[in-house]
Amino acid sequence: MVVLLRQFNLSDIPLLVKYLNNTLVTQYITDAIPKPYTQDDAKWWVSQCQEDSLFKAIEFNGKFVGCISAQLGQFEYNQSAELGYWLGEEHWSKGIATKAVELFSQSLLEQHALVRLFVSVVSTNTASIRVLEKNNFVLEGKLSKASYKNGQYFDELLFAKVIEEK
């Protein structure tokens, strides 16, 4: 299994549109993603991310399969980053997300002065929870009714990986 992280390119546009119009893919990720997700949305995304090291395309065996990103903290939170990731449905349960989180976490910690990586994940997203656990992220707490999507409140679980010595 070969999982690579790379910059986005124009050839990713058709699959971005396909993946992000699948409600199973978008059910747990941000509502900031337009619905429906169009070619223009994908073109804008690719143009915004091509030069940014905090946004990576996930490639599996030579094919674009998803996205992983980080938002660096600011001010007193400048030693931390929040991760986000998703995969196209047909690529679930193959270890791809686990490997992508491993690679991206290593890269973030090497390239930035970070001591903390964290993810807030919907409590019913058991697959993502397992990805985080396999990458040694630790459950720090539950945020009750932290998000509201499609007429429903969701609890979120806060997972983090803290580097003890820096």
Side-chain angles (χ1 to χ4, degrees):
M1 170 173 74
V2 179
V3 175
L4 297 173
L5 304 181
R6 60 165 172 78
Q7 294 310 121
F8 281 89
N9 59 56
L10 294 175
S11 67
D12 298 328
I13 290 172
L15 286 173
L16 269 169
V17 172
K18 176 187 172 188
Y19 297 149
L20 292 176
N21 278 305
N22 180 334
T23 56
L24 293 176
V25 171
T26 59
Q27 68 182 330
Y28 296 125
I29 60 178
T30 180
D31 274 346
I33 295 171
K35 290 180 181 131
Y37 194 79
T38 67
Q39 290 248 339
D40 286 341
D41 296 321
K43 287 176 189 172
W44 177 86
W45 177 257
V46 168
S47 72
Q48 295 299 304
C49 297
Q50 280 182 322
E51 302 299 322
D52 193 330
S53 67
L54 297 176
F55 296 87
K56 297 287 187 181
I58 303 170
E59 189 175 285
F60 175 64
N61 292 340
K63 181 179 180 184
F64 168 67
V65 298
C67 175
I68 191 163
S69 64
Q71 183 172 352
L72 297 178
Q74 295 182 29
F75 306 109
E76 65 272 21
Y77 302 107
N78 68 0
Q79 302 292 303
S80 66
E82 182 175 12
L83 301 183
Y85 52 90
W86 59 263
L87 291 177
E89 181 183 8
E90 60 265 36
H91 307 290
W92 294 354
S93 301
K94 297 178 181 176
I96 299 167
T98 299
K99 187 64 175 177
V101 168
E102 175 190 335
L103 293 170
F104 196 58
S105 296
Q106 288 171 353
S107 173
L108 283 172
L109 293 169
E110 289 169 6
Q111 296 176 14
H112 302 277
L114 301 175
V115 296
R116 176 183 171 80
L117 302 176
F118 69 96
V119 179
S120 179
V121 60
V122 174
S123 62
T124 54
N125 188 350
T126 55
S128 190
I129 290 167
R130 189 69 191 118
V131 165
L132 295 169
E133 291 171 340
K134 288 179 184 178
N135 276 284
N136 300 312
F137 280 72
V138 175
L139 176 63
E140 291 188 329
K142 176 179 139 183
L143 309 169
S144 298
K145 293 186 177 180
S147 59
Y148 183 79
K149 191 170 180 174
N150 301 323
Q152 183 178 358
Y153 288 99
F154 292 94
D155 294 343
E156 295 199 12
L157 302 177
L158 184 61
F159 282 85
K161 179 184 274 193
V162 178
I163 308 308
E164 297 302 328
E165 295 184 29
K166 197 67 165 158

PDB file of all heavy atoms in Angstrom, residues 20-21 33-39 41:
ATOM      1  N   LEU A  20     -17.148  14.951  -2.933  1.00  0.00           N
ATOM      2  CA  LEU A  20     -17.806  15.919  -2.059  1.00  0.00           C
ATOM      3  C   LEU A  20     -19.281  16.124  -2.383  1.00  0.00           C
ATOM      4  O   LEU A  20     -19.957  16.919  -1.725  1.00  0.00           O
ATOM      5  CB  LEU A  20     -17.037  17.240  -2.061  1.00  0.00           C
ATOM      6  CG  LEU A  20     -15.663  17.127  -1.394  1.00  0.00           C
ATOM      7  CD1 LEU A  20     -14.896  18.438  -1.499  1.00  0.00           C
ATOM      8  CD2 LEU A  20     -15.786  16.687   0.062  1.00  0.00           C
ATOM      9  N   ASN A  21     -19.801  15.380  -3.328  1.00  0.00           N
ATOM     10  CA  ASN A  21     -21.242  15.327  -3.552  1.00  0.00           C
ATOM     11  C   ASN A  21     -21.846  14.047  -2.975  1.00  0.00           C
ATOM     12  O   ASN A  21     -23.031  13.792  -3.146  1.00  0.00           O
ATOM     13  CB  ASN A  21     -21.572  15.482  -5.037  1.00  0.00           C
ATOM     14  CG  ASN A  21     -21.560  16.938  -5.440  1.00  0.00           C
ATOM     15  OD1 ASN A  21     -22.249  17.757  -4.847  1.00  0.00           O
ATOM     16  ND2 ASN A  21     -20.745  17.275  -6.418  1.00  0.00           N
ATOM     17  N   ILE A  33     -18.337  23.443   3.224  1.00  0.00           N
ATOM     18  CA  ILE A  33     -18.224  22.884   1.865  1.00  0.00           C
ATOM     19  C   ILE A  33     -19.569  23.085   1.160  1.00  0.00           C
ATOM     20  O   ILE A  33     -20.609  22.658   1.668  1.00  0.00           O
ATOM     21  CB  ILE A  33     -17.832  21.397   1.911  1.00  0.00           C
ATOM     22  CG1 ILE A  33     -16.424  21.271   2.499  1.00  0.00           C
ATOM     23  CG2 ILE A  33     -17.925  20.758   0.538  1.00  0.00           C
ATOM     24  CD1 ILE A  33     -15.997  19.865   2.812  1.00  0.00           C
ATOM     25  N   PRO A  34     -19.563  23.759   0.006  1.00  0.00           N
ATOM     26  CA  PRO A  34     -20.818  24.040  -0.701  1.00  0.00           C
ATOM     27  C   PRO A  34     -21.568  22.764  -1.096  1.00  0.00           C
ATOM     28  O   PRO A  34     -20.966  21.729  -1.357  1.00  0.00           O
ATOM     29  CB  PRO A  34     -20.356  24.784  -1.958  1.00  0.00           C
ATOM     30  CG  PRO A  34     -18.986  25.271  -1.659  1.00  0.00           C
ATOM     31  CD  PRO A  34     -18.394  24.293  -0.694  1.00  0.00           C
ATOM     32  N   LYS A  35     -22.905  22.909  -1.135  1.00  0.00           N
ATOM     33  CA  LYS A  35     -23.765  21.811  -1.589  1.00  0.00           C
ATOM     34  C   LYS A  35     -24.734  22.388  -2.606  1.00  0.00           C
ATOM     35  O   LYS A  35     -25.424  23.348  -2.267  1.00  0.00           O
ATOM     36  CB  LYS A  35     -24.546  21.219  -0.416  1.00  0.00           C
ATOM     37  CG  LYS A  35     -23.683  20.449   0.539  1.00  0.00           C
ATOM     38  CD  LYS A  35     -24.515  19.900   1.672  1.00  0.00           C
ATOM     39  CE  LYS A  35     -23.625  19.151   2.620  1.00  0.00           C
ATOM     40  NZ  LYS A  35     -23.774  19.468   3.982  1.00  0.00           N
ATOM     41  N   PRO A  36     -24.816  21.870  -3.793  1.00  0.00           N
ATOM     42  CA  PRO A  36     -23.921  20.836  -4.324  1.00  0.00           C
ATOM     43  C   PRO A  36     -22.517  21.390  -4.539  1.00  0.00           C
ATOM     44  O   PRO A  36     -22.330  22.601  -4.651  1.00  0.00           O
ATOM     45  CB  PRO A  36     -24.576  20.453  -5.655  1.00  0.00           C
ATOM     46  CG  PRO A  36     -25.329  21.677  -6.067  1.00  0.00           C
ATOM     47  CD  PRO A  36     -25.783  22.342  -4.780  1.00  0.00           C
ATOM     48  N   TYR A  37     -21.559  20.500  -4.610  1.00  0.00           N
ATOM     49  CA  TYR A  37     -20.159  20.869  -4.824  1.00  0.00           C
ATOM     50  C   TYR A  37     -19.894  20.836  -6.324  1.00  0.00           C
ATOM     51  O   TYR A  37     -20.060  19.798  -6.965  1.00  0.00           O
ATOM     52  CB  TYR A  37     -19.244  19.890  -4.085  1.00  0.00           C
ATOM     53  CG  TYR A  37     -17.822  20.382  -3.966  1.00  0.00           C
ATOM     54  CD1 TYR A  37     -17.477  21.318  -3.008  1.00  0.00           C
ATOM     55  CD2 TYR A  37     -16.832  19.902  -4.811  1.00  0.00           C
ATOM     56  CE1 TYR A  37     -16.173  21.774  -2.885  1.00  0.00           C
ATOM     57  CE2 TYR A  37     -15.526  20.352  -4.700  1.00  0.00           C
ATOM     58  CZ  TYR A  37     -15.207  21.288  -3.732  1.00  0.00           C
ATOM     59  OH  TYR A  37     -13.913  21.738  -3.623  1.00  0.00           O
ATOM     60  N   THR A  38     -19.523  21.979  -6.885  1.00  0.00           N
ATOM     61  CA  THR A  38     -19.419  22.125  -8.344  1.00  0.00           C
ATOM     62  C   THR A  38     -17.969  22.100  -8.822  1.00  0.00           C
ATOM     63  O   THR A  38     -17.037  22.194  -8.026  1.00  0.00           O
ATOM     64  CB  THR A  38     -20.050  23.460  -8.790  1.00  0.00           C
ATOM     65  OG1 THR A  38     -19.247  24.532  -8.275  1.00  0.00           O
ATOM     66  CG2 THR A  38     -21.489  23.595  -8.298  1.00  0.00           C
ATOM     67  N   GLN A  39     -17.818  22.049 -10.141  1.00  0.00           N
ATOM     68  CA  GLN A  39     -16.491  22.158 -10.755  1.00  0.00           C
ATOM     69  C   GLN A  39     -15.831  23.477 -10.376  1.00  0.00           C
ATOM     70  O   GLN A  39     -14.629  23.514 -10.109  1.00  0.00           O
ATOM     71  CB  GLN A  39     -16.601  22.064 -12.286  1.00  0.00           C
ATOM     72  CG  GLN A  39     -16.971  20.701 -12.781  1.00  0.00           C
ATOM     73  CD  GLN A  39     -15.822  20.053 -13.526  1.00  0.00           C
ATOM     74  OE1 GLN A  39     -14.914  20.720 -14.009  1.00  0.00           O
ATOM     75  NE2 GLN A  39     -15.855  18.736 -13.613  1.00  0.00           N
ATOM     76  N   ASP A  41     -16.297  25.184  -7.629  1.00  0.00           N
ATOM     77  CA  ASP A  41     -15.849  25.052  -6.233  1.00  0.00           C
ATOM     78  C   ASP A  41     -14.521  24.308  -6.175  1.00  0.00           C
ATOM     79  O   ASP A  41     -13.599  24.711  -5.460  1.00  0.00           O
ATOM     80  CB  ASP A  41     -16.886  24.294  -5.388  1.00  0.00           C
ATOM     81  CG  ASP A  41     -18.202  25.028  -5.268  1.00  0.00           C
ATOM     82  OD1 ASP A  41     -18.196  26.268  -5.136  1.00  0.00           O
ATOM     83  OD2 ASP A  41     -19.247  24.341  -5.296  1.00  0.00           O
TER      84      ASP A  41
END
